[in-house]
Amino acid sequence: MIKKGASPEEPRKGSPAQRDEQGPAQGNERLPGELTARELLRWAWRQLTSMRTALVLLLLLALAAIPGSVIPQTSVDSFAVSEWKDDHTTLAPIYEKLGMFEVFSSVWFSAIYVLLAISLVGCILPRTRVYWRGLRAAPPTAPRNLTRLPDSAAYTTGETPEVVLDRARMLLKKKRYRVVSGGGAVSAERGYLREAGNLLFHIAVLVVLAGFAIGSLWGYKGGVIVVEDGSFSNTPTQYDDFTPGQLTRAGALDSFTFRVDDFDIEWLYSGPRKGMARKFVAGLTWWDEKGTESTYDLRVNHPLNIGGTDVFLIGHGYAPVITVRDGNGDVAYSGPTPFLPENQQTFQSYGVIKVPTAQPKQIGLDGLFLPTYNEDPMNFGSILGDDKNPFITLRAYVGDLGLGEGKPQSVYALDTSKMKALAREDGGMFRVDLHVGESVDLPGANGSVTFEGVKPWVRVEVAKKPGTWLALGGAIVALVGLCGSLYIRPRRLWVRAVRSASGETLVEVAGLDRSARSDLADDLTAFVAALQGAATDVTAGAAGVQEDQ
């Protein structure tokens, strides 16, 4: 701004080197190419809402989802995440910082998600306005020189221009062209739905994103291990791990209860898949909020749906039934304890038993469960996943379990920092090695351990995703829109008929294909042939009428 009475500053002249010698720009003078804050924001918005950016973000979203499919996710299977961390101690801290165990709720994945939604909205709105104006506009008038177009044809006829143009209009309407006449020519256009399909695809992608967002905000997911004959009620405290949406309330959980009556599994004992299972069926009895009792056979990929909540069967294992007596001879612990499989083929499993009520000292046990124990001491382990010869081998500790310190502990980890490992009389490590029905006394009159039997357990995932059907509908609509944008061909045709001085009519036909297809020349030849053929049929019909007369 120039103050009143001040003379305007002379513009800086000369080459860039000379301008550098003159010193930096004074006042509010801008360098060539420098953008104001408003211009910079406008440029950033145009870049964000461009089709190229939307495609790049869509590709980034697909690439960002790959780690969530390859790396175990806490919201899906927290136990698998724990095992992965134990097996990859170097990578685990790095992945933890990058959010690789919670990919779909990480900051970087959410940023791509939100930017893609903004880009799509900014891309769709202006294109919708342009498409609406184009939809209401008439086909463009015929160019002055039709024969200069790459795909064109011309012929002469004795018919009047009006007859030729009327016939052309009729043929084009049969081919679903929008037709207008004027200036001795017919203009026709079709393929408007191509852009509609393109817009439909982008809107459908937004719908899919909205469906996932609704499921993430108002849905929930949780996992729980239920031992055979055990039950589960759909409340947050019953879950082993529970991931609610940001707007999910505890009262929004569907009220139901189910009991695992039995678990049927079929093992293969021969062939290349020997030792593996091929059938998993958990028999459930469940009650809805009204107390109505029903039964269901829960299988893999066949979830139980209760009021919009799905119950999936995602895993299974064994729970040894163990009884622990303390140093006073009282039963301090008794019941099935789920052990987690370390090997999915032999189902060798690891587990922890904590006995905080034992007197005079608390007792802790950790070790392995072997479903089919190999009695060969030179080949320790389980040889099958079926529980043909169950066996437990545990280490025993006494002392303070640390449960009264207020620090959270995993039920699958034993804190031995304040405990003492029990030893044999010869000073070697004492182990609880038992088959079903056997018992062993703990050294130092600290109690006893009895292996009563084995029960199977199933791991179920309970999930509610209110936006699932919306996302599925959006995906179907996106496929329809994509097919439309790929297979619908926008095309323009013009027909001009002009009476020459010799009394003949010169007919010019030209077309313009707005897609990459190369069959316009063939279609144009067929149209000209139809236009001329119709004229021949009319002439022959008129001649026949004259002969009859």
Side-chain angles (χ1 to χ4, degrees), residues 78 205 232 315 323 393:
S78 59
V205 172
F232 168 81
T323 298
T393 174

Side-chain angles (χ1 to χ4, degrees), residues 230-462:
S231 59
F232 168 81
S233 296
N234 191 31
T235 57
T237 56
Q238 291 274 296
Y239 287 93
D240 295 331
D241 53 85
F242 183 67
T243 307
Q246 295 182 356
L247 302 180
T248 302
R249 297 174 293 103
L253 274 65
D254 294 318
S255 178
F256 63 85
T257 302
F258 67 80
R259 181 183 66 236
V260 179
D261 298 323
D262 57 74
F263 181 64
D264 183 20
I265 184 169
E266 183 177 334
W267 296 91
L268 299 176
Y269 296 103
S270 61
R273 300 183 62 193
K274 179 181 178 180
M276 301 182 68
R278 67 177 180 183
K279 185 182 77 170
F280 314 91
V281 180
L284 304 183
T285 300
W286 62 278
W287 297 264
D288 60 15
E289 58 183 354
K290 297 180 180 179
T292 304
E293 180 178 316
S294 303
T295 59
Y296 187 78
D297 289 336
L298 187 63
R299 294 172 292 167
V300 177
N301 297 326
H302 292 79
L304 168 65
N305 184 272
I306 306 174
T309 299
D310 291 319
V311 181
F312 298 88
L313 175 62
I314 62 172
H316 66 99
Y318 292 104
V321 182
I322 296 175
T323 298
V324 180
R325 295 181 181 273
D326 60 17
N328 297 332
D330 298 324
V331 176
Y333 180 92
S334 182
T337 303
F339 278 46
L340 301 181
E342 293 182 328
N343 186 305
Q344 292 298 324
Q345 185 171 0
T346 65
F347 271 78
Q348 177 176 303
S349 306
Y350 172 81
V352 170
I353 298 173
K354 301 178 184 180
V355 191
T357 59
Q359 296 295 331
K361 298 178 181 179
Q362 295 180 343
I363 299 174
L365 304 169
D366 73 336
L368 301 176
F369 168 75
L370 309 174
T372 303
Y373 177 55
N374 187 356
E375 299 289 350
D376 183 2
M378 302 301 294
N379 190 15
F380 176 82
S382 178
I383 57 177
L384 286 175
D386 198 1
D387 55 341
K388 293 295 185 181
N389 185 24
F391 184 80
I392 58 172
T393 174
L394 309 172
R395 292 172 296 184
Y397 301 85
V398 294
D400 184 5
L401 291 169
L403 298 177
E405 298 179 356
K407 297 180 180 179
Q409 286 189 15
S410 170
V411 295
Y412 301 103
L414 182 64
D415 182 5
T416 60
S417 59
K418 297 182 180 180
M419 305 193 77
K420 177 183 177 182
L422 297 180
R424 301 193 304 264
E425 293 181 358
D426 60 2
M429 178 181 291
F430 173 79
R431 299 194 69 89
V432 178
D433 294 336
L434 300 173
H435 288 90
V436 173
E438 296 180 344
S439 298
V440 64
D441 292 330
L442 300 178
N446 283 297
S448 65
V449 178
T450 303
F451 186 13
E452 306 283 359
V454 180
K455 284 190 173 184
W457 58 257
V458 296
R459 177 167 172 78
V460 298
E461 180 182 277
V462 182

